[in-house]
């Protein structure tokens, strides 16, 4: 195990541990230094080829996730702590019994793109080689399965042809369904720097929303949801019309060219305009730019993949590159960016239920035999297993009776999430391996197994450009936490999983040995693209010191960078790329107008509702279901509660004001969140982040709204086009509270009300709305916030009520220090929220200080810094806006940075600062000083 600063790095220096950020598919290298006081500091690794020293706000805050407060530290069976032996014996026994009684298909694994490749490899080997089926799928199914399917159909293998460098070398970068600025920030920074160096570079953004990425775009195509396929079908037609097809390349290297072209013949600009809701001028601009530019990279992400036509859309994008021969050469090609840190590693080992291992197809009998021979396994999976959504349907139907879930939270992240929770509640045996104890999925587990965290385990991950990097351990695993691979191997040993010669098949001493086996299999399996056979001969020291490298790395060769398909040779049986005919359908029209809810059996209500298209996605400073980032105060202060972005026209029609609470409902569920009215949102659609779970909010698990519709080829859920009903939620009272203590029993105390909890530097903040009167809510908060926490302690209550206005304000002082404060009113409560949060634990001396606190406002010369914009230096929106308006000299992002430090470290907030500069003419300095904020909003609306 590698601990502290004694670890040799791949460049031979000894001052820090080189490892990899565990968040997104960019796969940035980080340097971890242990400070003399025992704390850890994080820097971007200047030698890592993915980021060259850069980090985003999440990566820069990694050291703050090392807090152990909600770690799962010991195995638990039925809620009671136990030792590993007992827990593993139970898991092995129950798996054995289930298989004996119901057959191997009654057992399944659901794993994660956050596992290391070594964990993934062991899970896949156990299921496909010893259970003999493919009952293993991964949450990467939700992220990029359509790209995998598109690659395999077009190229014959799941191959990302290009490298990150291609984005910098391109003359035109097309970003499709990708908010790169927030979801892959370091790649965005690289693109931004390349554009500054080469201003002639053009960038087109294709996204229904105006996101932070728009800041970099020369052209933003705000198309109708799910109409990308028509846009790219029209592009292929335009490429032909404009004489931009490379007929020599297509003739020599592409099958299906004529059929694909015939399928888009009718897609002239007017037709595509009608299908996409774009204007003919916008389309002509894009088509002309694409036609005239040789070096084009098309970057696509979840906006393309998470669609009922995701595979076809991916293929439509690829077809434009195949038809023009713009693939595999510097600065050109289609480029899928993965969401998770090791989605690619999972693809390499067969984490998806329709792949075997080492990029081998389950349907390829010869390759299958090679894998079985290599493993010496008694059996081998022969046909694809259930994909994620279907897997949990089988759990619900009782066909799967034992499921082991690792490093993921499907109760929040799968579509129809309430149904998934119900399925797991019905399942006779659920094992969850996780780092934290309080996940919504862990709550329905029979057995909880404590996994080693990012900082505590060794292994490898692969980023979006096929680069394999080492993740290195720099802390001893806490208490009983163990790596995920070890947990599976121990169960396999208890199940006496030996190879056909009777030798142990799951008996590794560490991840280096597993990696060598994985590398050797990649050479033996015969995949035409994924081959890292050279790494099979690494000794332990070589594995420890392994520098990031791109695959392939074949035996006998040196590691190096390469692009695929420059020679026009693809991995299909014919060796030719494959184009695919496009079937265009009208985009999802949003039913216009508002309706009163007249559901059968219900009284007519006065609350108008409107059907809108739900688009789910991510925000800048949170990761997945917030199990890691949710605990970091500075990451939570950018957007502190769940919100729905609503277009002004829809808000007006429904009587929704900014800061109201809204309700969104579909056939499968209901959520409540804060309204954020913004013209960045397309009319008729609403954007909601996917992060909030029951741990952080009363009812904001947005995947509860999403139906189980999946792409028919890839099985990837369509998470961005769900029709939902939007309405204002009729709250009668609103409250804001700050507290030194995390309040216990929020859900019990506040029942069906709206609440959202987030950490601050000194405690907690809570946003609340209720159907109770303000007076009643005030009483309930008294019980919740004072209650047991201050029994037998010397406290002083300070109150101020204005019963005519329905306002109530309370302070709780412990000695002379502020312990808790809460503010209740009949409308969203305007307060200096961040300033109040900072007062927790501060001395409150004198009457004036008490009055200030009760007013919820600092002195005029000490304005509330506002919602955090720059997470690195904790610079708020108000601070930045005041700098901009102070004397007229802060006219650039750099000048704002020089004055406030905002944007001078990771750079993730620079798009927001730029937006604030652009809005400078409408800024009113006095407003920021005096106006309290109604909620913690993104800067553009503050
Ligand atoms: Fe981590 Fe940010 Fe890099 Fe993604 S872009 S790997 S989240 S530092």
């Amino acid at each position: 195990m590698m601990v502290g600063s004694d670890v040799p790095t791949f460049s031979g220096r000894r001052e820090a541990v080189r490892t990899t950020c565990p968040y997104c598919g960019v796969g940035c290298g980080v340097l971890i230094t242990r400070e003399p006081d025992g704390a850890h500091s994080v820097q971007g690794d200047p030698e890592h080829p993915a980021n060259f020293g850069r980090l985003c706000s999440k990566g820069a805050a990694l050291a703050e996730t090392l807090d152990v407060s909600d770690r799962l530290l010991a195995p638990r069976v039925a809620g009671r702590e136990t030792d590993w032996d007992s827990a593993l014996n139970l898991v092995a026994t129950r798996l054995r019994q289930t298989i004996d009684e119901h057959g191997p298909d009654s057992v399944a694994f659901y794993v994660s793109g956050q596992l290391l490749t070594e964990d993934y490899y062991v899970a896949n080997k156990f299921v496909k080689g010893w259970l003999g089926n493919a009952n293993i799928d991964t949450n990467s199914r939700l992220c990029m399965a359509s790209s995998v399917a598109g690659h395999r159909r077009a190229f014959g293998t799941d191959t990302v042809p290009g490298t990150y460098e291609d984005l910098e070398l391109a003359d035109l970068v097309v970003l499709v369904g990708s908010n790169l600025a927030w979801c892959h920030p370091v790649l965005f920074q690289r693109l931004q720097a390349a554009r500054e160096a080469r201003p002639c570079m053009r960038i087109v953004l294709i996204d229904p929303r105006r996101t932070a990425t728009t800041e970099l775009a020369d052209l933003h195509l705000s198309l109708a949801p799910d109409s990308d396929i028509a846009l790219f079908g029209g592009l292929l037609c335009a490429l032909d019309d404009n004489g931009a097809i490379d007929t020599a390349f297509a003739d020599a290297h592409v099958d299906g060219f004529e059929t694909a072209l015939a399928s888009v013949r009718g897609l002239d600009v007017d037709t595509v305009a009608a299908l996409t809701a774009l204007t003919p001028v916008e389309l002509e601009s894009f088509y002309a730019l694409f036609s005239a530019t040789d070096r084009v990279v098309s970057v696509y992400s979840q906006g393309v993949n998470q669609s009922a036509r995701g595979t076809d859309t991916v293929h439509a994008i690829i077809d434009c590159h195949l038809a023009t021969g713009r693939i595999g050469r510097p600065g050109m090609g289609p480029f899928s960016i993965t969401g998770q840190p090791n989605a690619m590693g999972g693809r390499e080992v067969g984490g998806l239920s329709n792949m075997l291992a080492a990029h081998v197809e389950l349907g390829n009998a010869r390759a299958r035999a090679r894998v079985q021979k290599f493993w010496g396994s008694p059996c081998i999976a022969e046909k694809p297993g259930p994909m994620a959504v279907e897997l949990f349907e089988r759990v619900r139907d009782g066909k799967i009776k034992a499921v082991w879930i690792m490093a993921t939270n499907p109760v929040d992240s799968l579509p129809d999430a309430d149904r998934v929770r119900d399925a797991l509640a019905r399942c006779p045996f659920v094992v969850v391996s996780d780092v934290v104890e309080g996940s919504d999925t862990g709550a329905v587990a029979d057995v909880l197994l404590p996994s080693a965290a990012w900082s505590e385990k060794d292994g490898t991950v692969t980023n979006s450009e096929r680069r394999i990097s080492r993740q290195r351990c720099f802390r001893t695993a806490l208490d009983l936490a163990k790596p995920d691979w070890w947990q599976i191997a121990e169960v396999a040993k208890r199940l006496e999983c030996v190879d056909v010669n009777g030798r142990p098949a799951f008996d590794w001493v560490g991840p280096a040995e597993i990696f060598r086996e994985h590398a050797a299999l990649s050479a033996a399996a015969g995949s035409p693209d994924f081959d890292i056979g050279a790494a099979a001969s690494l000794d332990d020291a070589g594995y420890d010191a392994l520098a990031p490298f791109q695959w392939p790395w074949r035996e006998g060769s040196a590691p190096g960078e390469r692009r695929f398909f420059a020679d026009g040779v693809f991995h299909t049986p014919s060796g030719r790329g494959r184009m695919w005919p496009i079937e265009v359908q009208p985009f999802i029209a949003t039913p216009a107008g508002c309706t009163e809810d007249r559901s059968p059996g219900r009284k007519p209500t006065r609350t108008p509702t409107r059907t809108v298209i739900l688009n789910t996605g991510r925000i800048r400073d949170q990761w997945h279901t917030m199990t890691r980032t949710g605990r970091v105060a500075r990451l939570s202060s950018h957007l502190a509660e769940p919100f729905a972005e609503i277009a002004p026209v829809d808000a007006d029609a429904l009587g929704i004001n900014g800061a109201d609470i809204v309700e969104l409902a579909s056939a499968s569920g209901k959520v409540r969140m804060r309204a954020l009215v913004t013209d960045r949102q397309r009319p008729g659609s609403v954007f909601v982040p996917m992060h909030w779970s029951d741990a952080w909010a009363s009812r904001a698990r947005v995947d509860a709204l999403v139906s189980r519709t999946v792409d028919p080829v890839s099985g990837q859920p369509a998470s961005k086009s769900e029709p939902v009903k939007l309405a204002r939620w009729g709250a009668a009272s609103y409250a804001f509270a700050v507290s030194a203590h995390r309040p216990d029993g929020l859900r019990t105390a506040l029942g069906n009300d709206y609440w959202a909890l987030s950490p601050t530097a000194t405690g907690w903040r809570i946003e609340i709305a209720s159907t109770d009167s303000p007076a009643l809510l005030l009483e309930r908060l008294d019980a919740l916030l004072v209650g047991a926490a201050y029994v037998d302690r010397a406290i002083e209550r300070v109150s101020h009520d204005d019963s005519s206005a329905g306002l109530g304000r309370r302070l709780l002082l412990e000695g002379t220090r502020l312990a808790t404060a809460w503010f209740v009113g009949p409308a969203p409560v305007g307060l200096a929220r961040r300033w109040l949060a900072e007062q927790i634990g501060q001395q409150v001396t004198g009457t004036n200080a008490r009055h200030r606190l009760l007013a919820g406002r600092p002195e005029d010369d000490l304005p509330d810094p506002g919602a955090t914009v720059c997470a690195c230096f904790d610079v708020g929106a108000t601070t930045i806006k005041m700098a901009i308006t102070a004397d007229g000299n802060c006219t650039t992002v750099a000048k704002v940075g020089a004055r406030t430090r905002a944007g001078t470290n990771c750079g993730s907030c620079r798009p927001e600062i730029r937006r604030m500069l652009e809005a400078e003419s409408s800024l009113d300095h006095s407003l920021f000083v005096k106006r309290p904020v109604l909620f913690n909003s993104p800067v553009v609306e503050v």
Side-chain angles (χ1 to χ4, degrees):
M1 185 162 289
M2 308 170 70
V3 181
S5 57
D6 294 336
V7 180
T9 65
F10 64 75
S11 64
R13 289 188 286 137
R14 286 183 166 269
E15 58 273 5
V17 177
R18 291 196 132 86
T19 186
T20 310
C21 173
Y23 290 127
C24 86
V26 179
C28 297
V30 294
L31 294 175
I32 307 287
T33 308
R34 190 163 181 192
E35 305 294 348
D37 63 358
H40 292 86
S41 63
V42 177
Q43 285 173 278
D45 181 350
E47 293 183 29
H48 197 289
N51 57 316
F52 297 108
R54 298 174 176 93
L55 288 179
C56 74
S57 50
K58 292 187 287 289
L62 271 168
E64 287 146 74
T65 64
L66 301 178
D67 163 42
V68 300
S69 52
D70 58 356
R71 282 291 298 274
L72 180 62
L73 296 173
R76 287 187 201 167
V77 173
R80 293 218 174 117
E81 283 196 5
T82 186
D83 55 81
W84 270 110
D85 244 358
S86 307
L88 294 168
N89 288 342
L90 177 69
V91 173
T93 303
R94 291 295 300 268
L95 293 188
R96 165 60 62 211
Q97 284 171 351
T98 307
I99 291 167
D100 287 349
E101 287 172 30
H102 306 283
D105 286 353
S106 60
V107 171
F109 275 64
Y110 186 62
V111 294
S112 161
Q114 295 183 53
L115 290 176
L116 301 182
T117 300
E118 290 76 359
D119 301 318
Y120 246 137
Y121 176 84
V122 174
N124 188 57
K125 179 178 176 180
F126 176 69
V127 175
K128 291 183 182 145
W130 270 260
L131 291 184
N133 60 28
N135 275 12
I136 178 169
D137 209 37
T138 161
N139 65 2
S140 299
R141 179 73 61 192
L142 318 178
C143 154
M144 49 71 216
S146 296
S147 283
V148 175
H151 290 159
R152 290 173 63 213
R153 207 164 68 181
F155 308 143
T157 47
D158 174 22
T159 311
V160 175
T163 70
Y164 292 161
E165 189 189 33
D166 289 325
L167 274 72
E168 296 163 326
L169 298 175
D171 294 320
L172 170 63
V173 176
V174 183
L175 301 168
V176 199
S178 162
N179 184 5
L180 206 69
W182 278 18
C183 301
H184 301 98
V186 165
L187 210 45
F188 179 80
Q189 290 173 34
R190 285 183 63 167
L191 186 59
Q192 198 166 27
R195 191 359 213 276
E196 277 163 21
R198 245 175 358 104
C200 59
M201 176 195 275
R202 290 289 168 264
I203 296 169
V204 175
L205 174 67
I206 298 167
D207 192 322
R209 276 199 311 150
R210 208 169 75 232
T211 64
T213 305
T214 319
E215 179 244 341
L216 205 56
D218 298 288
L219 176 64
H220 172 212
L221 300 177
S222 172
L223 77 181
D226 244 2
S227 64
D228 324 53
I229 192 165
L231 178 70
F232 280 89
L235 173 59
L236 184 60
C237 181
L239 288 168
D240 190 36
D241 291 345
N242 296 341
I245 300 287
D246 184 340
T247 44
F249 183 87
D251 286 349
H253 301 297
V254 179
D255 285 333
F257 172 74
E258 288 301 341
T259 316
L261 202 57
S263 74
V264 299
R265 286 261 188 248
L267 290 177
D268 57 37
V269 163
D270 290 333
T271 305
V272 177
L275 289 165
T276 58
L278 294 168
T279 66
V281 172
E282 288 173 316
L283 289 167
E284 277 163 1
S285 304
F286 173 49
Y287 291 170
L289 196 55
F290 199 110
S291 298
T293 312
D294 198 35
R295 303 209 311 182
V296 183
V297 174
S298 301
V299 177
Y300 50 94
S301 190
Q302 273 83 332
V304 167
N305 294 328
Q306 291 178 334
S307 159
R309 290 176 289 173
T311 304
D312 287 348
T313 307
V314 167
H315 212 140
I317 295 169
I318 291 172
D319 280 356
C320 293
H321 286 268
L322 289 176
T324 53
R326 295 169 184 165
I327 190 163
R329 287 179 284 144
M332 58 182 74
F335 205 126
S336 150
I337 307 286
T338 63
Q340 298 203 74
N342 200 27
M344 291 283 277
R347 283 149 76 166
E348 289 154 14
V349 302
L352 292 162
S353 63
N354 49 324
M355 297 296 289
L356 180 52
H359 277 203
V360 164
E361 309 257 348
L362 274 160
N364 182 336
R366 284 178 60 196
R368 214 167 54 220
R370 283 198 290 269
V371 174
Q372 184 173 8
K373 184 174 171 208
F374 180 90
W375 280 341
S377 61
C379 49
I380 195 82
E382 295 185 354
K383 59 181 191 329
M387 300 178 186
V389 171
E390 193 197 338
L391 188 152
F392 282 90
E393 281 301 288
R394 290 193 191 179
V395 172
R396 195 167 189 278
D397 292 348
K399 292 177 186 142
I400 290 172
K401 296 182 186 298
V403 63
W404 191 341
I405 297 163
M406 308 190 99
T408 185
N409 197 3
V411 163
D412 294 330
S413 55
L414 270 172
D416 210 345
D418 289 346
R419 190 175 167 98
V420 172
R421 174 147 57 193
D422 180 53
L424 289 172
R426 295 176 187 203
C427 184
F429 191 58
V430 178
V431 183
V432 172
S433 297
D434 209 338
V435 170
V436 294
E437 63 177 355
S439 82
D440 291 341
T441 302
V444 290
D446 298 290
V447 178
L448 273 170
L449 300 178
S451 293
W454 162 75
S455 56
E456 301 160 0
K457 60 186 201 172
D458 273 302
T460 53
V461 290
T462 309
N463 73 2
S464 297
E465 61 167 352
R466 293 179 277 106
R467 193 177 299 280
I468 296 176
S469 298
R470 284 280 281 106
Q471 185 171 301
R472 294 183 172 90
C473 165
F474 58 89
R475 296 203 308 171
T476 309
L478 282 179
D479 283 19
L480 299 184
K482 293 282 188 187
D484 297 271
W485 67 262
W486 178 89
Q487 299 172 24
I488 304 164
E490 287 300 310
V491 168
K493 284 182 209 165
R494 284 163 171 79
L495 291 170
E496 296 168 352
C497 293
V498 292
D499 69 14
V500 288
N501 298 311
R503 291 184 301 237
F506 292 85
D507 198 17
W508 302 279
V509 293
E513 207 179 339
I514 301 169
F515 184 74
R516 283 192 287 271
E517 183 177 316
H518 163 56
L521 173 61
S522 77
S527 159
D529 64 344
F530 180 69
D531 183 343
I532 56 167
S537 56
L538 288 171
D539 59 15
D540 287 1
Y543 177 75
D544 280 351
L546 186 64
F549 71 94
Q550 275 186 303
W551 60 257
W553 183 21
R554 300 180 203 284
E555 214 174 338
S557 69
E561 311 224 336
R562 68 161 287 182
R563 296 173 175 86
F564 280 92
F565 312 134
D567 54 3
V569 177
F570 294 86
H571 302 145
T572 56
S574 67
R576 294 161 66 89
R578 213 182 276 135
M579 288 177 66
W580 204 256
I582 284 174
E583 195 183 323
V584 170
Q585 294 160 9
F587 66 84
I588 305 161
T590 310
C594 301
T595 55
E596 289 187 348
D597 187 349
R598 291 176 185 274
S599 318
R602 293 193 63 182
K603 286 183 189 168
T605 162
R606 287 181 184 280
T607 307
T609 64
R610 174 169 273 207
T611 301
V612 292
I613 300 300
L614 171 68
N615 175 10
T616 66
R618 297 168 188 200
I619 60 173
R620 192 191 77 187
D621 287 356
Q622 294 294 350
W623 176 246
H624 271 224
T625 54
M626 295 167 62
T627 46
R628 286 187 251 187
T629 48
R631 294 178 290 133
V632 180
R634 68 175 161 134
L635 295 181
S636 291
S637 58
H638 179 230
L639 287 156
E641 60 183 316
F643 63 92
E645 278 191 5
I646 303 164
V649 64
D650 294 318
D652 286 350
L654 298 171
I656 296 168
N657 296 308
D660 279 349
I661 304 298
V662 292
E663 190 164 86
L664 293 149
S666 73
S668 60
K670 200 177 265 187
V671 296
R672 285 186 200 130
M673 45 202 45
R674 192 73 72 169
L676 176 58
V677 180
T678 168
D679 65 2
R680 288 175 298 172
Q681 188 61 46
R682 270 181 70 86
S685 52
V686 60
F687 171 82
V688 176
M690 50 81 75
H691 307 291
W692 271 269
S693 66
D694 280 354
W696 300 109
S698 54
R699 199 170 188 177
R701 293 163 51 249
V702 70
D703 277 297
L705 299 181
V706 177
S707 66
R708 284 169 284 124
T709 305
V710 297
D711 177 279
V713 183
S714 70
Q716 177 152 4
S719 306
K720 291 181 173 290
S721 53
E722 189 69 35
V724 296
K725 284 188 171 172
L726 168 68
R728 183 175 180 273
W729 187 59
S733 56
Y734 296 78
F736 174 74
V738 287
S739 170
H741 297 275
R742 182 176 182 145
D744 284 333
L746 264 171
R747 191 166 297 280
T748 311
L750 296 176
N752 226 6
D753 292 348
Y754 169 83
W755 57 262
L757 177 73
S758 64
T760 68
T762 53
W764 300 87
R765 52 182 284 170
I766 316 151
E767 298 280 357
I768 301 157
S770 171
T771 49
D772 286 340
S773 68
L776 195 50
L777 181 59
L778 204 55
E779 271 177 38
R780 289 166 66 197
L781 290 181
D782 198 89
L784 174 72
L785 295 168
V786 185
Y790 293 96
V791 168
D792 300 332
R793 290 166 76 164
I795 54 170
E796 180 191 355
R797 290 165 192 261
V798 183
S799 306
H800 176 78
D801 289 325
D802 177 350
S803 42
S804 60
L807 294 171
R809 292 158 190 257
R810 299 285 183 272
L811 309 177
L812 197 68
L813 304 177
E814 189 167 19
T816 56
R817 294 184 188 277
L818 182 67
T820 304
W822 62 104
F823 305 81
V824 177
V829 193
L831 299 160
R833 281 165 154 68
R834 179 158 160 193
W835 174 80
L836 276 167
E838 289 168 354
Q839 302 316 301
I840 291 295
Q842 298 292 320
Q843 294 270 10
V844 182
T845 48
T847 312
N848 191 36
R850 291 178 179 220
H851 286 166
R852 283 274 160 224
L853 285 169
L854 283 171
R857 300 253 305 268
E859 316 228 355
D860 278 358
D861 59 354
L862 185 72
D864 182 46
T868 296
V869 176
C870 170
C872 295
F873 295 118
D874 213 6
V875 186
T878 308
T879 305
I880 294 170
K881 287 180 179 178
M882 287 180 69
I884 292 171
T885 53
D887 52 19
N889 289 328
C890 257
T891 51
T892 64
V893 174
K895 287 179 179 172
V896 171
R899 187 165 293 187
T900 67
R901 298 183 79 197
T904 58
N905 187 38
C906 80
S908 297
C909 62
R910 282 183 206 138
E912 284 165 274
I913 298 171
R914 207 176 312 268
R915 273 212 305 255
M916 295 163 84
L917 282 162
E918 282 164 8
E920 182 199 1
S921 57
S922 62
L923 299 181
D924 174 354
H925 178 266
S926 61
L927 200 64
F928 307 132
V929 179
K930 297 209 171 83
R931 193 179 76 170
V933 291
L934 296 173
F935 73 111
N936 204 75
S937 156
V939 293
V940 77
E941 275 74 29
V942 171

